[in-house]
């Protein structure tokens, strides 16, 4: 039988390959491991991984790539023999003309050498093999395989080779789709290699969530993208219902799945997750459990979130595809399935899933009953968006007639910042409050009214309403007393009574622990952290956050919206300490929590990402975050806390880009500086924003007057962190007005306060003037050792700050380059692989934070030319990613700056 040579060599590598050394541990050549199984659905990069890793690890291997027609004993054994012959000196005996597979494989086992250097036999596309004789022979082979050989199978389906026994004996190594899914670093490398611009971390993380790290989907993104905005738009359209993926999944199902199993998949598609017990409740038919298991084994994009539990879910894109294809079932059949699923989920005590299915079934009576009966549980688990869908299905006339539904409508609309709807619900309540069914919920209604008042900034109205709620028994929402106490604590915080607020929130913490109210307990931790930050105790706030994260993990509550609150305030503290990588990661986690809730909820996290990008001097990333931040601001109505924080970041951006026109426009449109009510950090921030704007516009005296009036509240109420930031703004205002002595005095006070608060990021927000101000202070004023140490660190950080308002270019002539590369402290790699003049320029621009597009514009060349230069630069310096290039440039440019 003629054999095709190309089936016996590794397939050609794609144009762009992302190395994945994190999977190296799976490739250890251990004499105990008989089989390495790489199993995942199509498009996960199984073949590319093994073809790339084996040469990198210097592991000898023979290859065999299978096709459907190889599922015949004679053909398979002929290729098997040829592949093995590539590993041994003496060829194996010819294929016998009679006998079964086991006999033939036993003969060849006896002919193999007893020892040799460890190597692999790689069998690609093993999913084509299901012939019983072949599988029985390979089970025998694995049992007697020599210790120097590791069989490596790449397959979409799980082979019937006695894997359970191999696993228990420690003879099996596995790489599944979870391990094969690309992580953030690998996705970043993929984009850096193929795109002329770096996507924002937000977009990249979102692409990973939507794709599940599926390499096929990520490649689809980068191959169809030419701009950053285009990448963002394509991520929004990344769905299993996209025509490209519909066609791809259609082909997979047509070739791999029988018609009856395709119908089963469409029916299972109504479920977000399922177990054998749930399938049995939902569907009728024989051998359902076995059929579901067979579909999982066949690699039909079915995942196990917990490998030790009997729960399954579809890959996100495949689930979207199944929902898209569900139109093949009749509307009546779909609704019946959804309603059955709702009842099944309710029997399994999962009201959120029950409600979701009832909404899809358009079963309005079921939806009304679920929300009324299960509302407290749904609220406790943060199912706001889901409840909003159900309430929208019912309509306001039906909601307004039922006290429990009206209460739920009020809380849900409040949680989604739709305060006008909350006010409308309160109007229905007040109109019917004399009716006995409505009077029964008096405590719950008073608490809702108090919550709206606090969100409207009216702490004076909120406090008595919360106190009234505590005087009445709660009949529906058992958490009402805790919520009312929380609101009272928040009201005292807004009024500036920090010690009383802290005392009350600690009472909430104790009660929440006793009631095992995890969401309220997490809120109590977060609110304590905010109070401690206001008091200037950032380390204590950080420690409280540590307790909150421990509880979050213990109670498995990472999906709740309050987890975003926790990640956001963690990011704020970390940014202030200039731990930028951690601050960025915390903000990204916050956005991930709310990914399905809507972008408007993520405003505070986008503020943090913009601050991090600006602190790093990454103008392109910062500009993108600012653009997104302004878009979110324009589309929502937010509390002054969020608005003031966003405006502070915008002002810092305009200062760094020298956009004084934008500052002037902002001053005309911003919330007015309410000095009398500046008893909290957000009102203080809003006044401070106006002072910063006045300083930037050359009105330093007016800014100083505003800040000095503001300081009366900080002294009276103990707002230590705000006092620290106000002193910094006063220093900037006096410096801008030419009063350098007063500026130094305020800066000295700020340094003294920073010994307690630990602020760093707020100092750096002063921008370019900070360096000269610090140098003058150091020269003119004796400082305590701790103040001197902080000043020196701030000076170092200040010198790294970049001015976004001017272009950055690195133009070096050959003599300067020659001088640099000849220095003994310069790495050997620079001397042996010298960069071209253009590559030096590009290295400098990368270090300045410019994207490939911006570098191309700066040097007046095509983006593709820049990509070619960068690839050459990376190869010469053994660099894999942009961060390494920035680090190298920092070292080399230090020599230039010294000159």
């Amino acid at each position: 039988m003629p054999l095709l040579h190309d089936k016996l060599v590794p397939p050609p590598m794609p144009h762009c390959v992302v190395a994945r050394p994190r999977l190296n541990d799976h490739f250890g050549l251990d004499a105990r491991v008989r089989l390495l199984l790489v199993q995942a659905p199509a498009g996960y990069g199984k073949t590319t991984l093994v073809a790339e890793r084996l040469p990198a690890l210097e592991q000898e291997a023979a290859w065999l790539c299978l096709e459907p027609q190889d599922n015949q004993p004679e053909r398979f054994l002929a290729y098997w023999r040829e592949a093995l012959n590539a590993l041994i000196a003496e060829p194996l005996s010819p294929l016998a003309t009679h006998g079964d597979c086991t006999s033939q494989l036993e003969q060849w086992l006896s002919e193999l050498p007893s020892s040799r250097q460890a190597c692999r036999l790689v069998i690609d596309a093993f999913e084509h093999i299901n012939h019983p004789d072949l599988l029985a022979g390979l089970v025998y082979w694995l049992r007697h395989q020599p210790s120097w050989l590791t069989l490596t199978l790449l397959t979409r389906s799980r082979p019937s080779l006695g894997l359970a026994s191999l696993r228990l004996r420690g003879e099996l190594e596995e790489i599944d789709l979870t391990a094969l899914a690309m992580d953030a670093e690998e996705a970043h490398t993929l984009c850096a290699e193929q795109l002329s611009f770096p996507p924002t971390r937000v977009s990249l993380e979102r692409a990973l969530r939507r794709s599940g790290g599926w390499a096929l989907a990520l490649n689809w993104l980068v191959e169809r993208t030419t701009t950053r905005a285009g990448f963002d738009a394509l991520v929004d359209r990344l769905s299993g219902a996209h025509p490209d993926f519909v066609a791809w999944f259609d082909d997979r199902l047509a070739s791999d799945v029988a018609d009856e199993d395709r119908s089963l998949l469409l029916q299972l598609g109504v479920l977000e997750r399922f177990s054998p017990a749930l399938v049995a409740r939902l569907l009728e038919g024989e051998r359902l459990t076995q059929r579901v298991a067979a579909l999982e084994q066949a690699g039909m994009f079915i995942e196990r979130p917990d490998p030790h539990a009997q729960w399954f879910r579809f890959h996100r894109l495949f689930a979207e595809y199944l929902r898209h294809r569900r139109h093949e079932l009749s509307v009546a059949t779909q609704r019946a399935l959804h309603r059955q699923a709702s009842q099944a989920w309710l029997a399994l005590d999962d009201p959120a899933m029950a409600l979701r299915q009832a909404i899809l079934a358009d079963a309005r009576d079921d939806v009304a009953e679920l929300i009324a009966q299960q509302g407290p549980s749904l609220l406790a688990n943060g199912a706001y968006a889901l409840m909003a869908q159900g309430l929208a299905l019912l309509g306001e006339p039906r909601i307004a007639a039922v006290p429990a539904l009206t209460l739920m409508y009020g809380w849900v609309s409040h949680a989604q910042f739709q305060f006008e709807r909350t006010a409308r619900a309160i109007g229905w309540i007040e109109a019917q409050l004399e009716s006995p069914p409505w009077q029964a919920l008096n405590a719950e209604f008073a608490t809702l009214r108090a919550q709206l008042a606090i969100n409207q900034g009216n702490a004076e109205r909120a406090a008595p309403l919360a106190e009234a709620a505590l005087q009445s028994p709660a009949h529906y929402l058992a958490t009402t007393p805790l919520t009312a106490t929380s609101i009272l604590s928040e009201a005292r915080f807004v009024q500036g009574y920090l010690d009383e607020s802290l005392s009350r929130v600690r009472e909430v913490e104790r009660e929440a622990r006793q009631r095992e109210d995890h969401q309220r307990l997490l809120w109590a931790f977060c609110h304590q952290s905010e109070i401690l930050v206001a008091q200037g105790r950032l380390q204590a706030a950080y420690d409280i956050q540590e307790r909150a994260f421990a509880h979050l993990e213990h109670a498995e509550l990472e999906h709740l919206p309050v987890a975003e609150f926790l990640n956001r305030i963690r990011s704020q503290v970390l940014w202030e300490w200039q731990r930028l990588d951690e601050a960025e990661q915390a903000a990204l986690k916050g956005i991930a929590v709310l990914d399905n809730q809507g972008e408007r909820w993520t405003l505070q996290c986008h503020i943090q990402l913009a601050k991090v990008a600006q602190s790093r001097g990454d103008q392109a990333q910062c500009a993108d975050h600012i653009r997104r931040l302004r878009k979110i601001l324009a589309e929502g109505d937010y509390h002054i806390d969020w608005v003031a924080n966003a405006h502070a970041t915008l002002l810092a951006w305009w200062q760094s880009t020298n956009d004084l026109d934008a500052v002037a426009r902002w001053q005309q449109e911003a919330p007015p500086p309410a000095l009398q009510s500046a008893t909290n950090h957000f009102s203080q921030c809003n006044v401070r924003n106006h002072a910063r704007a006045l300083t930037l516009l050359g009105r330093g005296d007016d800014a100083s007057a505003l800040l000095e009036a503001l300081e009366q509240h900080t002294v009276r109420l103990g707002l230590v962190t705000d006092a620290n930031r106000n002193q910094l703004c006063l220093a900037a205002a006096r410096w801008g007005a030419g009063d350098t002595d007063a500026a130094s005095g305020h800066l000295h006070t700020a340094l003294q306060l920073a010994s307690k608060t630990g602020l760093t990021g707020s100092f750096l927000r002063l921008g370019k003037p900070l360096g000269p101000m610090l140098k003058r202070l150091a020269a003119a004023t004796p400082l305590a050792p701790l103040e001197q140490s902080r000043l020196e660190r701030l000076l170092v950080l200040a010198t790294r700050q970049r001015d976004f308002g001017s272009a950055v270019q690195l133009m070096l002539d050959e003599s300067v380059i020659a001088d640099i590369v000849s220095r003994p402290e310069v790495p050997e790699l620079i001397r042996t692989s010298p960069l071209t003049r253009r590559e030096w320029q590009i290295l400098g621009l990368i270090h300045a934070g410019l994207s490939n597009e911006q570098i191309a514009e700066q040097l007046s060349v095509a983006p593709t030319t820049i990509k070619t230069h960068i690839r050459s630069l990376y190869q010469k310096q053994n660099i894999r990613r942009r961060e390494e290039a920035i680090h190298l440039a920092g070292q080399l440019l230090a020599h230039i700056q010294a000159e």
Side-chain angles (χ1 to χ4, degrees):
M1 184 185 81
L3 301 179
L4 299 178
H5 176 72
D6 69 336
K7 294 176 63 171
L8 293 162
V9 295
M13 299 292 280
H15 171 66
C16 176
V17 176
V18 176
R20 311 183 76 182
R22 67 177 173 85
L23 297 174
N24 282 355
D25 288 348
H26 295 285
F27 287 90
L29 286 169
D30 185 339
R32 292 180 62 238
V33 175
R34 296 179 178 274
L35 174 64
L36 169 60
L37 180 67
V38 185
Q39 188 219 336
Y44 269 91
K46 301 181 291 295
T47 302
T48 302
L49 168 71
V50 177
E52 186 275 332
R53 280 290 86 196
L54 295 187
L57 295 170
E58 298 182 348
Q59 292 184 3
E60 184 183 356
W63 277 77
L64 170 56
C65 302
L66 298 174
E67 297 176 289
Q69 56 267 38
D70 295 321
N71 192 32
Q72 300 171 19
E74 184 179 356
R75 284 181 59 88
F76 177 85
L77 290 172
Y79 276 108
W80 178 274
R81 174 182 178 274
E82 195 67 21
L84 274 173
N85 281 340
L87 297 174
I88 56 179
E90 296 293 329
L92 299 172
S93 60
L95 182 63
T97 56
H98 57 82
D100 58 16
C101 288
T102 301
S103 301
Q104 181 63 78
L105 291 172
E106 183 178 31
Q107 172 63 36
W108 288 339
L109 280 166
S110 69
E111 299 173 13
L112 292 176
S114 59
S115 64
R116 81 177 298 282
Q117 185 178 352
C119 62
R120 295 182 181 276
L121 174 58
V122 180
I123 311 297
D124 198 359
F126 191 78
E127 66 270 7
H128 297 309
I129 304 302
N130 56 27
H131 193 291
D133 196 20
L134 285 174
L135 294 175
L138 289 172
V139 169
Y140 183 83
W141 175 278
L142 282 168
R143 195 178 308 141
H144 300 284
Q145 180 176 270
S147 60
W148 52 263
L149 181 64
T150 301
L151 183 60
T152 302
L153 301 183
L154 318 184
T155 176
R156 298 177 188 174
S157 61
R158 191 178 306 124
S160 300
L161 295 175
L163 300 182
S165 297
L166 291 169
R167 189 179 294 114
L168 289 173
R169 294 197 300 267
E171 297 173 354
L172 175 66
E173 186 70 40
E174 298 175 270
I175 303 177
D176 60 10
L177 65 84
T178 303
L180 282 167
M182 281 194 165
D183 63 17
E185 182 178 349
E186 290 163 347
H188 177 79
T189 302
L190 177 70
C191 292
E193 288 288 337
Q194 298 206 60
L195 297 177
S196 61
F197 59 91
T200 64
R201 283 290 302 276
V202 174
S203 296
L204 198 56
E205 296 269 356
R206 189 155 179 252
L208 280 169
R209 287 193 297 274
R210 295 188 68 84
S211 67
W214 188 22
L216 183 77
L218 292 170
N219 273 300
W220 178 83
L221 275 173
V222 299
E223 287 172 3
R224 285 160 179 77
T225 303
T226 55
T227 65
R228 183 179 289 107
F231 186 89
D232 292 349
L234 200 57
V235 170
D236 290 336
R237 296 197 296 274
L238 177 56
S239 162
H242 189 284
D244 289 354
F245 288 101
V246 169
W248 193 89
F249 283 125
D250 280 345
D251 289 345
R252 293 275 73 75
L253 265 63
S255 63
D256 299 344
V257 177
D259 288 345
E260 62 174 4
D261 285 334
R262 185 175 184 277
S263 177
L264 175 61
L265 285 170
L266 290 177
Q267 294 177 76
L268 288 174
V270 306
L271 302 170
E272 290 188 16
R273 53 191 173 93
F274 51 92
S275 67
L278 185 59
V279 172
R281 285 178 179 271
L282 177 63
L283 303 174
E284 294 182 1
E286 296 182 355
R287 302 180 64 254
L288 285 174
T289 300
Q290 293 89 332
R291 288 169 63 192
V292 171
L295 288 169
E296 185 213 4
Q297 186 171 337
M300 277 296 103
F301 292 89
I302 298 175
E303 307 169 348
R304 286 184 189 237
D306 180 351
H308 306 293
Q310 288 296 311
W311 281 95
F312 304 91
R313 69 183 177 201
F314 291 112
H315 183 283
R316 175 170 178 160
L317 293 179
F318 189 57
E320 292 167 348
Y321 162 78
L322 291 176
R323 286 196 289 273
H324 171 76
R325 278 295 182 213
R326 206 177 301 152
H327 66 265
E328 297 176 18
L329 303 172
S330 69
V331 173
T333 299
Q334 291 181 54
R335 287 183 174 176
L337 280 170
H338 285 304
R339 193 164 189 191
Q340 286 175 259
S342 177
Q343 293 164 355
W345 279 117
L346 196 57
L348 293 171
D349 196 27
D350 193 329
M353 295 299 294
L355 177 59
R356 191 183 307 279
Q357 294 297 327
I359 293 169
L360 292 168
D362 199 30
R364 303 187 184 202
D365 290 344
D366 291 355
V367 169
E369 185 178 354
L370 276 166
I371 293 177
Q373 292 185 357
Q374 303 292 334
S377 173
L378 292 165
L379 278 182
N381 285 287
Y384 306 125
L386 179 61
M387 293 178 74
Q389 292 176 33
L391 292 164
L393 182 66
L394 297 179
E396 290 192 351
R398 183 167 185 174
I399 295 168
V402 182
L405 292 179
T406 300
L407 184 65
M408 291 298 103
Y409 185 78
W411 279 116
V412 168
S413 57
H414 159 264
Q416 297 190 309
F417 309 115
Q418 297 168 335
F419 300 137
E420 72 288 348
R421 294 187 181 182
T422 310
R424 198 152 61 241
I426 289 172
W428 304 336
I429 291 165
E430 292 174 343
Q432 303 176 80
L433 201 51
E434 298 305 315
S435 173
W438 294 76
Q439 281 185 345
L441 302 186
N442 188 57
E444 285 89 340
F445 291 146
T447 305
L448 177 63
R449 293 157 74 191
Q451 184 67 72
L452 180 63
I454 198 71
N455 279 99
Q456 291 174 334
N458 193 343
E460 286 68 26
R461 173 173 166 75
L465 282 169
E467 289 171 335
L470 290 170
Q471 302 305 313
S472 303
H475 296 293
Y476 178 61
L477 278 175
T479 58
T480 294
L482 267 181
T483 306
T485 306
S486 301
I487 294 168
L488 195 53
S489 170
E490 197 168 352
R492 294 298 184 239
F493 177 66
V494 170
Q495 292 169 328
Y497 305 124
L498 301 185
D499 290 336
E500 181 185 347
S501 179
L502 189 59
S503 174
R504 289 188 179 275
V505 78
R506 285 173 174 163
E507 178 186 337
V508 172
E509 179 191 342
R510 287 190 296 272
E511 286 291 321
R513 281 190 186 281
Q514 291 177 5
R515 293 174 175 268
E516 295 187 346
D517 185 339
H518 300 298
Q519 188 168 212
R520 188 56 57 183
L521 178 58
L522 285 171
W523 178 90
F525 283 136
C526 293
H527 189 46
Q528 284 183 67
S529 174
E530 288 203 305
I531 297 168
L532 292 167
V533 168
Q535 292 178 329
R537 299 159 63 188
L538 270 69
Q539 183 60 56
Y542 182 89
D543 294 341
I544 284 286
Q545 292 169 13
E546 286 288 276
R547 293 170 56 195
F549 277 111
H551 184 73
L552 190 76
E553 182 177 351
H554 170 73
E556 298 181 350
L557 301 175
E558 292 88 348
H559 64 285
L560 290 183
V562 72
E564 180 275 336
F565 185 10
L566 177 57
N567 278 291
R568 177 212 318 162
I569 59 176
R570 166 55 63 89
S571 179
Q572 290 169 353
V573 170
L574 291 169
W575 173 83
E576 195 61 78
W577 290 344
Q578 288 295 282
R579 289 162 58 176
L580 299 180
D581 290 347
E582 296 169 81
E584 179 185 53
Q585 196 58 42
L588 290 169
K589 286 181 180 177
I591 290 173
V593 171
L594 302 179
D595 193 39
N596 295 323
Q597 304 283 345
E599 192 175 50
R600 61 178 307 193
W601 285 40
T602 64
L603 174 63
Q604 290 269 50
C605 290
H606 281 290
I607 292 169
Q608 286 304 114
L609 291 173
K611 288 161 64 177
V612 167
Q614 185 170 16
S615 295
R616 286 174 171 162
D618 190 336
Q619 183 175 10
Q621 294 278 357
C622 189
D624 190 83
H625 292 311
I626 291 291
R627 175 186 60 79
R628 197 182 297 256
L629 190 161
R630 297 183 72 176
K631 172 179 173 289
I632 298 172
L633 263 182
E635 294 174 351
D637 180 18
Y638 298 99
H639 188 275
I640 184 62
D641 184 5
W642 291 36
V643 172
N645 198 7
H647 287 175
T649 303
L650 290 172
L651 285 164
W653 167 255
W654 292 326
Q655 178 182 358
S656 66
T657 56
N658 200 30
D659 191 349
L660 298 183
D661 289 340
V663 175
R665 288 194 301 272
W666 173 87
Q667 193 184 31
Q668 299 301 315
E669 301 167 0
L675 277 167
Q676 295 306 312
S677 60
T679 56
N680 48 68
H681 67 90
F682 42 86
S683 296
Q684 288 261 328
C685 181
N686 184 50
V687 177
R688 204 157 46 241
N689 288 341
H690 281 273
R692 291 177 68 195
L694 289 168
T695 300
L696 292 172
L697 296 172
R699 296 169 57 189
D701 291 339
D702 293 339
S704 298
L706 202 57
L707 290 163
E708 285 164 359
L710 189 61
E711 276 290 78
Q712 296 175 13
H713 290 297
T714 64
V715 173
R716 178 172 61 87
L717 299 171
L719 300 172
V720 178
T721 296
D722 282 297
N724 203 161
R725 290 169 176 157
N726 293 343
Q727 287 297 322
L728 288 169
C729 285
L730 276 164
R734 299 321 306 150
W735 186 269
D739 188 351
T740 55
D741 290 338
S744 291
H746 289 302
L747 188 59
H748 188 195
T749 303
L751 271 177
Q752 291 172 325
L753 287 169
S755 296
K756 176 181 181 180
T757 64
L759 299 191
T760 298
S762 293
F763 278 83
L764 296 175
R765 263 196 168 169
L766 296 186
K768 285 198 298 182
L770 178 61
M773 291 168 68
L774 288 169
K775 289 175 181 177
R776 188 184 189 285
L777 176 63
T781 307
L783 300 175
L786 189 59
E787 296 164 12
Q788 181 66 35
S789 174
R790 184 171 297 279
L791 182 143
E792 289 171 0
R793 179 168 184 261
L794 286 169
L795 262 176
V796 170
L797 293 172
T799 59
R800 296 178 187 170
Q801 289 191 291
R802 297 186 183 87
D803 178 13
F804 290 167
S806 59
V808 182
Q809 291 198 34
L810 175 63
M811 296 299 181
L812 304 170
D813 61 31
E814 284 72 9
S815 62
V816 174
I817 296 170
D819 178 55
I820 292 171
V821 299
S822 66
R823 299 182 183 189
E825 66 269 24
V826 171
E828 178 68 21
L829 200 57
I830 291 289
R831 289 194 289 272
T832 57
S833 300
L835 306 181
T836 67
R837 187 169 182 269
R838 180 64 90 191
E839 287 164 358
W840 273 98
Q841 292 171 341
I842 290 171
L843 184 62
L845 295 171
I846 288 174
H847 183 259
L850 273 64
S851 69
N852 288 6
E853 289 172 312
Q854 292 170 319
I855 295 173
E857 183 179 349
Q858 185 96 346
L859 300 179
S860 302
V861 297
T864 52
T865 303
I866 297 301
K867 287 177 66 177
T868 301
H869 284 302
I870 289 176
R871 190 175 295 112
S872 171
L873 165 64
Y874 282 16
Q875 289 173 349
K876 287 180 179 180
Q877 302 306 318
N878 195 26
I879 291 172
R880 288 182 52 241
R881 57 184 63 88
R882 213 174 188 88
E883 288 81 358
E884 295 175 19
I886 292 170
H887 178 70
L888 173 65
Q891 292 179 315
L892 299 176
L893 296 182
H895 297 303
I896 301 166
Q897 289 162 355
E899 292 297 314

